Amino acid sequence: MKARPTLEDVAGLAGVSTATVSRVLNEPERVSAKTRSRVEAAVAHFDYTPHFGGQALASNRTNTVGAVIPTMENAIFARGLQALQEALAEDGVTLVVATSNYDPEREAQQIRTLLGRGVDGFVLIGEARDPALYTMLERRGVPFVLVWSWRPDCPWPCVGFDNRAAARAMAERVFELGHRRIAMIAGVTRGNDRAAARVDGVRDALAARGLHLDESNLIESPYRLEAGADAARQLLAAPTPWQNRPTAIVCGNDVLAAGALTAIRDLGLKAPADVSVTGFDDIDLAIVLDPSLTTVHVPHRRMGQAAARLLLRLRAREDDTTNVVFETALVERGSLAAAGK
Amino acid sequence: MKARPTLEDVAGLAGVSTATVSRVLNEPERVSAKTRSRVEAAVAHFDYTPHFGGQALASNRTNTVGAVIPTMENAIFARGLQALQEALAEDGVTLVVATSNYDPEREAQQIRTLLGRGVDGFVLIGEARDPALYTMLERRGVPFVLVWSWRPDCPWPCVGFDNRAAARAMAERVFELGHRRIAMIAGVTRGNDRAAARVDGVRDALAARGLHLDESNLIESPYRLEAGADAARQLLAAPTPWQNRPTAIVCGNDVLAAGALTAIRDLGLKAPADVSVTGFDDIDLAIVLDPSLTTVHVPHRRMGQAAARLLLRLRAREDDTTNVVFETALVERGSLAAAGK
DNA sequence: TTGTACGCGTTATCAG
DNA sequence: CTGATAACGCGTACAA
C-alpha cells in the first residue's frame, strides 16, 4: 500500500527543494529550463498530483465553484450545467453541483454546505432569495453570478434573459392569432422569479388588450408532465369554447406543455384545431411532440458559458464584469394556430 | 473585511482548547454537556464552519465522491445523479460531477483531475475502460462503484442491470409479433459497454431464430435526436418491406427512438402501421410521443440510490458489499405492433 | 535562479 | 473529560 507521493518525494528525486517543485507547478516560467525538465521528469515518475487539502490550506483557494440548481431532472439546467462545467474546466476550475428542489430554504442550506466545503464562487439560479444570503456572500467575499434571470435593474452580477418580456411576446402572438379565451399553466411561483415573471408577462399582454387572467384560468403546477396533464384536464373541463373552454393554453415551460398535449390527446381533442398550446424553453422535447411545440427559444448553453466567463472574471477581480442579457426567440411550430370560429 | 473565524477564535470565546472544539464538532458524546453547550454557543456566535482545506489536510478525507458520467444532457444520468446526490448528502458526503462526453480518454483525464481534488470515492458508468485505471484506483485505495452495467461475473463492485438480456427480450418480443425484417439503431459502441451489450442482445435474439443483423440494418449513432432521425431515414430508404425496408426498428435508447419516430412522420409513414419502433430506458419522453414508445423500463433513480449505499459501505470498509442487479421491464405502448402483411 | 523556513486550520496522539 | 502539541502538504516571503 503505497502512500501518496508528496512534494518532498518529488523534490528529493529531482535533487531540488520543495519550493522549486512548487514553482514548476505553479509558475513554470520562473524556473530554468534545465531544472524544470528534471522536476517534470520526477513528477511524471511519481505520477504526482498535488494534495488538495494542502493546496487549499496554503493558498486559501480551492478552484472550485458551486452551483445550486433546482433539479438536474429539468433538461434546461442539465444543458446549462454541462456548458458551465466545460467552460470552467478550461480554466482548471471544478464545478460542484447541489440541488434545492425549488425550495428556498433548502437552497440556503446547500449554499452554506458548499461554503463550508470551501467553494470560492457560486452560480445561482434566479434572483429571488433571502437578502441575508446576499449579504453573507458579500461579507465572505465569495463572488457569485445569477443565471436564467435578468431584469433591467438587477443589482447583482447576472446572466440571463427577460422572462417577462418573452412571455409577454408569446401571449401577444396568441392574441394576435385571434384567441380570446386564453388560459395559463404556470410553474410554481413561490421562490421562483422566472415562473413569476412569465405569469406577469402573460398578464401584461392580456391587460394591454383588455383581457384578464382570472383564477379559473391560471393554474400553478410543478414542472412535471403529469402535473401539466392534470392542469390541462381541469382547464378543459368545459366541453366547448362558448361554454368557457379556453382556445389556447400558454404554459410556463415545455414540460408542462407536453403534459397538456398528452392530456388533450387523451381527451379526444385535437391540438391545435380544438385548443392551441405553447411552451417555454425549447428543449429537445419540443420538436418530437406531435404537433411540435410552439415555444420560446432560450440559449441555455450559451448562458452557461457566459456565466462561467463572468464568474471567472469576478474571481480574478477584473473590472470588466457587466451583466449579460440574451435575446430569446419565439419559434412557431405546430401547436399554435389561429383560433377557430 | 472580516476574516473567516477559526477553531482558535471559537475556542477563545468558549474558554477551551481547540481540541475540545474539534471534538464537539466531530464526536460530541465525548464532551461533557456543560462545555459542549458553551462551545456550541461560541460556534453559533461566530457562525463558524470548519475550513475545508484544513480538515482535508489533517484527516486526509474530503467526504467528497466524484462521478464521471458521459453527459448530463442524457436524462437517465440526470435522474440517477439526482438520486445519488440526495442519498450521499444524507451521509454528509458531497458529490462532484464531471463529464467525459463518451470519450474514454477524457474519462481517464477526469478521473485523474478528481483524484487530484481529493475525492475519496468514485461512481463510474459502465465497465469498459483501461485496466490501468482500475489498478491505479486500487493502489490509491479509493473505493469505486460501477453503475448502469451489470453482468454475471463483473469483478468490480457494481450496481446495474443486464443490458444484453433486456435488449434480447425486446428483440424477441418484436420477432414474436411477426417482424422478420428487423433493423437496429444502436448507440456508439466504442468505449460504451452498455451500447455494445444492447447490440449483442438483439443479435442473440435474432441468431436464435435464424436471422442476422447485417451491416445495412445496423447503424451506430450518437445519442441525439437528429442522429436517430438520420439513421431512420437511411434505414427506410427502400420504399416497401418487400424491397428490403425493415418493418421494425429497435433503438439503442429512447432518444434515438424519438428521432426515428420524427423521421418516420416526416417521411409520410405511420408508426406502427408502416414501421414499428422500440426504445430503451423509459425516460419521460417515451410517454409523450405519439405513438407512445414501447421501451425497456430501467429504474434509474433506484440505481442511483443503490450506488450511493454501496459506495458508502465501501468507504466505511464494511464487509457487506455485494453487487446489486436490477430487473428491467418491457413496457408495451403504441409504437410496436404486429407486423402487417 | 534557487533554497530556507514559517504558517495556513484542522485532526489526533498522548499526557494530565 | 480536557489540554498541549505534533503532524498533515503546500505556498510564499525572504534570503542567498
Side-chain angles (χ1 to χ4, degrees), chain A residues 94-107:
Chain A
T94 306
L95 179 68
V96 181
V97 183
T99 56
S100 68
N101 201 24
Y102 293 99
D103 176 351
E105 282 101 48
R106 191 163 160 71
E107 192 205 32

Side-chain angles (χ1 to χ4, degrees), chain B residues 63-317:
Chain B
N63 282 324
T64 301
V65 314
V68 184
I69 61 168
T71 167
M72 302 188 198
E73 296 191 35
N74 187 331
I76 64 170
F77 298 125
R79 294 214 135 174
L81 279 190
Q82 178 83 25
L84 180 69
Q85 196 246 87
E86 287 166 4
L88 290 173
E90 284 178 14
D91 277 52
V93 174
T94 306
L95 178 68
V96 181
V97 183
T99 56
S100 67
N101 201 26
Y102 294 100
D103 176 352
E105 282 101 48
R106 193 163 160 72
E107 191 205 33
Q109 172 59 39
Q110 296 284 36
I111 291 175
R112 307 178 77 83
T113 301
L114 291 179
L115 269 179
R117 281 197 81 278
V119 308
D120 40 39
F122 273 104
V123 172
L124 302 174
I125 306 297
E127 189 186 341
R129 55 181 60 79
D130 188 340
L133 263 178
Y134 290 113
T135 59
M136 180 219 251
L137 289 175
E138 298 203 311
R139 251 203 10 231
R140 297 234 191 181
V142 180
F144 59 90
V145 172
L146 311 183
V147 202
W148 254 271
S149 198
W150 182 91
R151 61 182 173 87
D153 303 308
C154 181
W156 316 109
C158 70
V159 172
F161 59 96
D162 191 331
N163 282 273
R164 183 169 185 162
R168 175 177 183 145
M170 175 61 87
E172 282 169 348
R173 178 65 181 141
V174 171
F175 185 93
E176 195 177 295
L177 284 170
H179 294 276
R180 293 301 177 266
R181 300 205 54 79
I182 301 174
M184 178 167 191
I185 305 176
V188 177
T189 54
R190 170 180 133 82
N192 185 334
D193 55 333
R194 291 88 61 211
R198 293 175 192 181
V199 174
D200 291 341
V202 172
R203 284 217 157 97
D204 290 347
L206 298 190
R209 287 155 187 78
L211 292 182
H212 179 64
L213 199 60
D214 63 27
E215 260 188 44
S216 65
N217 280 323
L218 171 61
I219 299 181
E220 288 194 10
S221 302
Y223 286 141
R224 284 183 291 104
L225 284 176
E226 321 81 65
D230 289 345
R233 271 189 287 272
Q234 191 176 330
L235 290 172
L236 297 172
T240 64
W242 48 92
Q243 285 170 330
N244 282 356
R245 193 180 77 194
T247 63
I249 301 178
V250 175
C251 298
N253 80 358
D254 289 351
V255 173
L256 292 174
L261 282 175
T262 311
I264 287 167
R265 189 173 71 196
D266 293 348
L267 286 170
L269 298 174
K270 290 284 174 213
D274 297 313
V275 52
S276 283
V277 173
T278 68
F280 201 114
D281 283 341
D282 196 19
I283 60 178
D284 276 359
L285 185 58
I287 75 168
V288 300
L289 290 173
D290 190 11
S292 56
L293 192 61
T294 290
T295 187
V296 176
H297 178 76
V298 177
H300 301 294
R301 298 192 58 86
R302 284 166 54 213
M303 283 201 317
Q305 289 162 358
R309 282 196 297 271
L310 179 53
L311 187 56
L312 289 171
R313 283 201 294 270
L314 288 170
R315 279 165 42 95
R317 303 273 182 265

Side-chain angles (χ1 to χ4, degrees), chain A:
Chain A
M1 179 71 80
K2 276 188 181 172
R4 149 193 264 276
T6 72
L7 261 196
E8 207 173 329
D9 298 326
V10 177
L13 179 61
V16 297
S17 73
T18 61
T20 299
V21 179
S22 177
R23 278 187 211 107
V24 169
L25 264 32
N26 298 312
E27 356 173 48
E29 67 284 357
R30 288 192 34 187
V31 178
S32 78
K34 230 177 82 189
T35 47
R36 191 195 313 162
S37 65
R38 205 143 33 91
V39 170
E40 279 164 351
V43 166
H45 172 82
F46 282 113
D47 191 19
Y48 169 81
T49 41
H51 186 282
F52 181 71
Q55 236 173 347
L57 186 52
S59 67
N60 205 29
R61 319 188 71 232
T62 58
N63 283 323
T64 301
V65 314
V68 184
I69 61 168
T71 167
M72 302 188 199
E73 296 192 34
N74 187 330
I76 64 170
F77 298 125
R79 294 215 134 176
L81 279 190
Q82 179 82 24
L84 179 69
Q85 196 245 87
E86 286 166 5
L88 290 173
E90 284 178 15
D91 277 53
V93 174
T94 306
L95 179 68
V96 181
V97 183
T99 56
S100 68
N101 201 24
Y102 293 99
D103 176 351
E105 282 101 48
R106 191 163 160 71
E107 192 205 32
Q109 172 58 39
Q110 296 285 37
I111 291 175
R112 306 178 77 84
T113 302
L114 290 179
L115 269 178
R117 280 198 82 275
V119 308
D120 39 41
F122 272 105
V123 172
L124 302 174
I125 305 297
E127 191 186 340
R129 56 181 57 81
D130 188 340
L133 263 178
Y134 289 114
T135 60
M136 180 219 252
L137 289 175
E138 298 204 310
R139 249 201 14 229
R140 298 234 190 180
V142 181
F144 60 89
V145 172
L146 311 183
V147 201
W148 253 270
S149 196
W150 181 92
R151 61 181 173 88
D153 302 308
C154 181
W156 317 108
C158 71
V159 171
F161 60 95
D162 191 331
N163 283 273
R164 183 168 185 162
R168 175 175 182 149
M170 176 60 90
E172 282 170 347
R173 178 64 182 142
V174 171
F175 184 93
E176 196 177 295
L177 284 169
H179 294 277
R180 294 301 176 266
R181 301 205 55 79
I182 301 173
M184 179 168 190
I185 305 176
V188 177
T189 55
R190 172 181 133 81
N192 186 333
D193 54 334
R194 290 89 60 210
R198 293 175 191 181
V199 175
D200 291 340
V202 172
R203 284 216 157 96
D204 290 347
L206 298 190
R209 286 155 185 78
L211 293 183
H212 179 65
L213 199 59
D214 63 27
E215 259 188 46
S216 65
N217 280 322
L218 171 62
I219 300 181
E220 287 194 12
S221 303
Y223 286 140
R224 285 183 291 101
L225 284 176
E226 321 81 66
D230 289 345
R233 273 188 286 272
Q234 191 176 328
L235 290 172
L236 296 172
T240 64
W242 49 92
Q243 284 170 333
N244 282 356
R245 194 181 76 195
T247 63
I249 301 179
V250 175
C251 298
N253 80 358
D254 289 351
V255 173
L256 292 175
L261 283 175
T262 311
I264 288 166
R265 188 172 72 195
D266 293 348
L267 286 169
L269 297 175
K270 290 284 174 210
D274 297 313
V275 51
S276 283
V277 173
T278 68
F280 202 121
D281 284 341
D282 197 20
I283 59 179
D284 276 358
L285 184 58
I287 75 168
V288 301
L289 291 172
D290 190 11
S292 56
L293 192 61
T294 290
T295 187
V296 176
H297 178 75
V298 178
H300 301 294
R301 298 191 58 85
R302 285 167 53 211
M303 283 200 316
Q305 289 162 359
R309 282 196 296 272
L310 179 53
L311 187 56
L312 289 171
R313 283 201 293 271
L314 288 170
R315 278 165 43 94
R317 304 274 182 263
E318 286 181 26
D319 302 324
D320 170 28
T321 55
T322 57
N323 295 351
V324 183
V325 57
F326 283 96
E327 292 301 313
T328 57
L330 204 164
V331 294
E332 301 215 35
R333 300 207 180 91
S335 68
L336 170 63
K341 268 286 107 66

